[in-house]
Amino acid sequence: MTDYARGLEGVIANESALSKVDGAIGELSYLGYHIDQLVEKCSYEEVVYLLQNGRLPNRAELTDFEKRIRGDRELPQGVLDFLKSAPKNASPMDILRTGVSMLGLYDKRVKTGAPDIQENAEIALSLIAKTPVLVAAYHRFRQGLELPAVREDLSEAAHFLYLINGEEAGEVAVKTLDVALILHADHGMNASTFSARVTVATLSDMYSAITSAIGTLKGPLHGGANEGVILMLQEIGDLDGVDEYVEGKLTRKEKIMGIGHRIYKVLDPRAPHLRKLAIQLTEELGEPKWIKMSERIAQIMRDRKGLEANVDFYSATVYYSLGIPTDLFTPIFAIARTSGWTAQVLEQLRDNRLYRPLTLYTGPKEMLPVPPIESR
Ligand SMILES: CC(=O)SCCNC(=O)CCNC(=O)[C@H](O)C(C)(C)COP(=O)(O)OP(=O)(O)OC[C@H]1O[C@@H](n2cnc3c(N)ncnc32)[C@H](O)[C@@H]1OP(=O)(O)O
Ligand SMILES: O=C([O-])CC(=O)C(=O)O
């Protein structure tokens, strides 16, 4: 019999040249470039180009690429109408999932039959351009505000902050979000990327694949954990409450959000970048208690369970310090990961094979006679 790996742990599902996740030493690279270098030397747009084209752009290529994405930010009127009429208390992740699915309705490039790689590469760029606008538009409309006109002179990070706030953000905020977007862009065969690849491997379309991925990212065991972290910190309230809270969770065998990882057995290499930003921002805000509480939680989890912080642990405090509402944290993760998801979908299509694993059947061994309905 074939070995059964619960939750597909340790199973290699496909090949990919996009990101290398080394769980033993805590190292992450995109197409051979260490994330530490990418964060130091590149913008998010350069990283998107890297994932989409397999190499870093030169200056002229980057300018063209930025122009291409910035020129594709307008949402179809039908999608804007949906965003305006959607319930004001909906989860922005549900809005994003539905909005991305709707974008497919308005895109004539979507066809049935064998997907065209070049057309899908174009759709990928449209999705990268439009997902931030979708999230920001819903956020404005739910407050009864208008969406500012989309602009072509701002980077992805600057434009998103401009749209949600209705005014341009400062340099520090833009740089911080840019780094966060780079760090969330791609991550091997994580659950949402796997969903996207499974969907498109049936020769479905890019919008369906990204819709699947958004639904998968939403859960608190995956991208939803960043919202869970800030809700946990708010529930604890202050540093004095941390030990009792964590002990209570461990006793009840409940999870602490933002801690632990299927692949990283050491610290997630994205966490130190976000930790550094969280320390700087909370100090500037005069609210260091959030980071002090986080440090104590991380320490207890290290000592008691040998578990380390993952990417969601400090990103929560970073976004909170930027004044971003909690329910936009996971959508921001999705916005960044759209660059990775779409690159992974294209990679899947270039060398496609249907995913169809087995299940270990645990039902009745013998065939049962169907009794008449009156006697059941
Ligand atoms: C971007 C991302 O998706 S990163 C992950 C974001 N998710 C979270 O932060 C949610 C909290 N973390 C978790 O639930 C887990 O660590 C996961 C789901 C991320 C990975 O876990 P898995 O590889 O499936 O490990 P699993 O859940 O089986 O846990 C193994 C052991 O560690 C414990 N454990 C793992 N994470 C945690 C945690 N956050 N809090 C408390 N205990 C934990 C489990 O209780 C279990 O302990 P036991 O062996 O004593 O029963
Ligand atoms: O790789 C994973 O399992 C989850 C993760 O950290 C990510 O998607 O960034």
Side-chain angles (χ1 to χ4, degrees):
M1 199 194 77
T2 319
D3 285 341
Y4 164 43
R6 216 166 151 252
L8 299 182
E9 181 162 4
V11 172
I12 297 174
N14 49 41
E15 295 171 52
S16 177
L18 293 168
S19 50
K20 182 169 176 233
V21 183
D22 190 326
I25 58 168
E27 198 172 75
L28 172 61
S29 54
Y30 303 155
L31 288 127
Y33 297 102
H34 199 294
I35 52 157
D36 292 355
Q37 288 249 323
L38 293 170
V39 161
E40 190 192 324
K41 302 192 169 153
C42 294
S43 64
Y44 171 62
E45 283 79 350
E46 285 172 87
V47 170
V48 176
Y49 186 101
L50 173 66
L51 290 168
Q52 296 291 317
N53 296 283
R55 63 179 177 80
L56 285 167
N58 62 31
R59 198 165 290 286
E61 287 166 335
L62 179 62
T63 306
D64 280 354
F65 188 67
E66 286 173 346
K67 205 163 163 238
R68 160 72 186 83
I69 293 187
R70 292 177 191 185
D72 205 345
R73 286 175 167 162
E74 292 282 359
L75 300 179
Q77 190 55 47
V79 174
L80 285 168
D81 292 344
F82 152 68
L83 295 171
K84 278 188 184 145
S85 62
K88 301 272 178 283
N89 60 352
S91 144
M93 275 302 272
D94 293 347
I95 294 287
L96 180 62
R97 186 197 60 218
T98 306
V100 163
S101 179
M102 277 191 89
L103 284 174
L105 297 177
Y106 293 93
D107 192 335
K108 293 197 177 59
R109 294 169 295 193
V110 178
K111 299 185 191 75
T112 43
D116 177 303
I117 304 271
Q118 195 44 47
E119 255 169 9
N120 275 286
E122 284 297 318
I123 294 171
L125 300 186
S126 296
L127 276 166
I128 290 163
K130 287 184 166 64
T131 47
V133 185
L134 248 167
V135 172
Y138 176 65
H139 179 57
R140 299 288 295 180
F141 298 153
R142 71 176 171 175
Q143 300 170 86
L145 300 169
E146 285 302 311
L147 177 71
V150 298
R151 289 170 50 170
E152 294 192 18
D153 59 333
L154 296 175
S155 69
E156 287 306 303
H159 193 246
F160 179 72
L161 292 173
Y162 167 67
L163 290 186
I164 60 167
N165 297 324
E167 59 183 29
E168 282 187 43
E171 237 175 84
V172 174
V174 172
K175 177 68 189 157
T176 302
L177 184 58
D178 195 79
V179 167
L181 295 176
I182 292 175
L183 293 173
H184 287 83
D186 198 46
H187 206 251
M189 211 32 50
N190 63 87
S192 52
T193 301
F194 185 51
S195 277
R197 290 186 74 136
V198 168
T199 301
V200 85
T202 67
L203 299 186
S204 181
D205 67 291
M206 180 68 88
Y207 289 98
S208 300
I210 304 308
T211 303
S212 298
I214 294 167
T216 309
L217 186 73
K218 180 184 158 187
L221 295 189
H222 193 12
N226 59 11
E227 295 180 15
V229 170
I230 213 76
L231 296 175
M232 167 177 76
L233 294 176
Q234 285 166 339
E235 191 187 334
I236 300 173
D238 57 33
L239 189 58
D240 291 343
V242 168
D243 287 50
E244 195 187 330
Y245 178 91
V246 176
E247 285 305 329
K249 284 268 182 197
L250 291 180
T251 310
R252 294 189 300 276
K253 296 208 169 297
E254 290 170 6
K255 295 280 179 68
I256 298 289
M257 291 293 105
I259 301 286
H261 200 277
R262 175 65 67 78
I263 306 298
Y264 292 123
K265 299 306 163 209
V266 294
L267 185 65
D268 182 327
R270 300 164 292 184
H273 290 281
L274 294 159
R275 177 174 173 269
K276 194 170 139 204
L277 290 168
I279 291 171
Q280 279 165 7
L281 293 167
T282 49
E283 264 170 18
E284 276 162 29
L285 269 182
E287 286 196 51
K289 81 166 182 177
W290 302 113
I291 196 71
K292 286 191 179 140
M293 287 164 71
S294 303
E295 299 289 63
R296 179 68 193 142
I297 295 169
Q299 184 65 49
I300 301 174
M301 291 305 284
R302 200 174 295 125
D303 294 347
R304 296 272 277 102
K305 299 287 288 182
L307 294 171
E308 294 283 352
N310 61 52
V311 68
D312 290 324
F313 194 63
Y314 295 105
S315 69
T317 304
V318 168
Y319 300 146
Y320 174 85
S321 306
L322 292 180
I324 296 172
T326 305
D327 62 2
L328 298 189
F329 293 5
T330 314
I332 292 175
F333 191 154
I335 287 167
R337 189 56 60 84
T338 298
S339 64
W341 288 331
T342 50
Q344 294 259 359
V345 163
L346 293 167
E347 193 180 49
Q348 178 69 39
L349 286 175
R350 287 190 189 103
D351 184 21
N352 191 47
R353 187 148 199 248
L354 179 78
Y355 291 91
R356 204 311 184 180
L358 300 173
T359 190
L360 188 61
Y361 175 69
T362 59
K365 291 203 173 26
E366 310 283 325
M367 290 298 170
L368 305 171
V370 178
I373 195 159
E374 293 75 21
S375 62
R376 285 179 220 159

